[in-house]
C-alpha cells in the first residue's frame, strides 16, 4: 500500500517537474521516440556506408597497376563489409521500433501488424528474416517476380512478391534486407536479376531447409543439392 502511494506521488512529482519543459512532454506525445531516433541514425549510417562503397568502386576502376588494383579491391570489400554491418544494424533498429509500436498498440508507418511472412517464421524460418521483411516497401500487385519458380517450389510467396519491387539504393536487390537477416544470398541475387535461377530450385532452397522452414521440397530426395529434412 505504501509502495503504491509512493509510486503515485512520484509520478505526480515527476509530472509537475516536467510541466515547464518540453522534453518529458515530447516523450509522452511521441511513443517510441528513442527507437525512431535510432532508426534515423542507422539509416544515415547506411547512406554514408553506401557512398563509401561507390567511392571505393570508382577508385578501383581508375587503379593502374596490379598492386593498385589489388589494394583497391581490398578497400571495396572492406567498404561492402562495413555496409552490410550497417544494414544489419538498421534492420535491428527497425525491429526494435516495430516491437515498441506493437507494445504501444500498433500504428506508425513502420509496422504494428504481423507481416504476411510471419506464418513462415512461426513455422520455423528465423524471426530476424520476418522482422527484416517488415522493413521492405509494400509491392505493387500483379508484378512478375523474377524468383517465382522458388515460390512455386515452396518458398513463401510474400518473398517473391517483395522481389517485384524496384532495386534498392545502389542497385541492390529489392529483398537484400532478408539476406542480411539470414536468407541465402543466392535468393537476393536472383531477385535482382544478376544471377539466373538454376533449373532445379533445390540448389537454392536447400539452405532454406537448413534454416528450419519445413518446405515440401525439403523432403524431396534425389534432386541436385537437396537433402532430407531432419525431424
Amino acid at each position: 500500500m505504501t509502495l503504491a502511494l509512493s509510486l503515485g506521488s512520484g509520478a505526480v512529482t515527476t509530472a509537475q517537474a516536467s510541466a515547464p519543459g518540453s522534453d518529458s512532454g515530447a516523450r509522452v506525445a511521441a511513443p517510441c521516440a528513442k527507437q525512431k531516433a535510432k532508426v534515423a541514425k542507422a539509416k544515415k549510417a547506411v547512406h554514408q556506408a553506401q557512398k563509401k562503397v561507390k567511392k571505393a568502386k570508382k577508385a578501383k576502376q581508375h587503379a593502374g597497376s596490379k598492386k593498385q588494383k589489388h589494394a583497391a579491391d581490398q578497400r571495396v570489400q572492406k567498404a561492402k563489409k562495413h555496409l552490410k554491418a550497417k544494414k544489419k544494424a538498421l534492420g535491428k533498429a527497425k525491429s526494435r521500433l516495430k516491437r515498441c509500436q506493437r507494445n504501444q498498440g500498433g500504428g506508425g508507418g513502420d509496422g504494428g501488424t504481423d507481416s504476411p511472412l510471419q506464418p513462415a517464421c512461426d513455422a520455423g524460418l528465423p524471426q530476424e528474416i520476418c522482422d527484416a521483411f517488415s522493413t521492405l516497401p509494400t509491392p505493387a500487385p500483379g508484378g512478375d517476380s523474377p524468383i517465382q519458380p522458388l515460390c512455386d517450389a515452396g518458398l513463401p510467396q510474400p518473398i517473391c512478391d517483395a522481389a517485384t519491387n524496384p532495386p534498392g539504393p545502389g542497385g541492390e536487390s529489392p529483398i537484400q534486407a532478408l539476406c542480411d537477416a539470414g536468407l541465402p544470398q543466392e535468393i537476393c541475387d536472383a531477385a535482382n536479376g544478376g544471377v539466373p535461377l538454376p533449373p532445379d530450385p533445390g540448389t537454392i532452397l536447400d539452405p532454406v531447409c537448413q534454416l528450419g522452414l519445413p518446405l515440401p521440397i525439403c523432403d524431396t530426395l534425389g534432386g541436385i543439392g537437396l537433402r532430407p529434412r531432419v525431424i
Side-chain angles (χ1 to χ4, degrees), residues 188-203:
C188 290
D189 292 342
N192 206 31
V195 178
L197 287 174
D200 186 347
T203 57

Side-chain angles (χ1 to χ4, degrees), residues 63-75:
S65 66
K66 185 176 180 180
K67 184 178 180 180
Q68 289 175 334
K69 289 182 179 180
H70 177 70
D73 183 65
Q74 286 185 322
R75 287 192 290 270

Side-chain angles (χ1 to χ4, degrees), residues 125-173:
L125 195 68
Q127 182 61 41
E128 292 81 3
I129 296 178
C130 284
D131 290 342
F133 185 87
S134 67
T135 68
L136 299 177
T138 302
D144 292 330
S145 177
I147 57 172
Q148 188 57 45
L150 298 182
C151 289
D152 293 341
L155 190 70
Q157 184 62 40
I159 295 179
C160 290
D161 293 341
T164 63
N165 282 319
E172 71 174 10
S173 174

Side-chain angles (χ1 to χ4, degrees), residues 162-188:
T164 63
N165 282 319
E172 71 174 10
S173 174
I175 59 170
Q176 185 58 45
L178 305 186
C179 291
D180 291 342
L183 197 69
Q185 183 61 43
E186 291 80 3
I187 295 179
C188 290

Side-chain angles (χ1 to χ4, degrees), residues 214-231:
L215 304 180
I217 199 170
C218 295
D219 294 319
T220 304
L221 298 176
I224 299 176
L226 298 180
R227 306 171 194 162
R229 179 163 54 91
V230 178
I231 301 177

Side-chain angles (χ1 to χ4, degrees), residues 32-198:
C32 307
K34 182 178 179 181
Q35 289 80 1
K36 290 178 181 178
K38 287 187 175 181
V39 168
K41 183 178 180 180
K43 284 182 178 180
K44 185 177 180 180
V46 168
H47 180 66
Q48 291 175 340
Q50 288 171 336
K51 291 173 67 176
K52 288 183 178 180
V53 171
K54 290 181 180 179
K55 184 177 179 180
K57 287 182 176 180
K58 187 175 181 180
K60 182 180 177 181
Q61 292 176 347
H62 293 84
S65 66
K66 185 176 180 180
K67 184 178 180 180
Q68 289 175 334
K69 289 182 179 180
H70 177 70
D73 183 65
Q74 286 185 322
R75 287 192 290 270
V76 170
Q77 296 306 317
K78 184 178 180 180
K80 285 183 176 180
K81 185 177 180 180
H82 180 69
L83 174 58
K84 184 176 181 179
K86 294 303 178 183
K87 285 182 176 179
K88 188 174 183 180
L90 174 59
K92 288 182 178 179
K94 287 185 175 181
S95 295
R96 294 189 187 102
L97 173 59
K98 182 181 178 184
R99 285 194 292 270
C100 178
Q101 289 175 329
R102 282 179 175 175
N103 292 337
Q104 294 291 337
D110 289 285
T113 58
D114 287 339
S115 74
L117 190 59
Q118 188 58 44
C121 287
D122 294 340
L125 195 68
Q127 182 61 41
E128 292 81 3
I129 296 178
C130 284
D131 290 342
F133 185 87
S134 67
T135 68
L136 299 177
T138 302
D144 292 330
S145 177
I147 57 172
Q148 188 57 45
L150 298 182
C151 289
D152 293 341
L155 190 70
Q157 184 62 40
I159 295 179
C160 290
D161 293 341
T164 63
N165 282 319
E172 71 174 10
S173 174
I175 59 170
Q176 185 58 45
L178 305 186
C179 291
D180 291 342
L183 197 69
Q185 183 61 43
E186 291 80 3
I187 295 179
C188 290
D189 292 342
N192 206 31
V195 178
L197 287 174

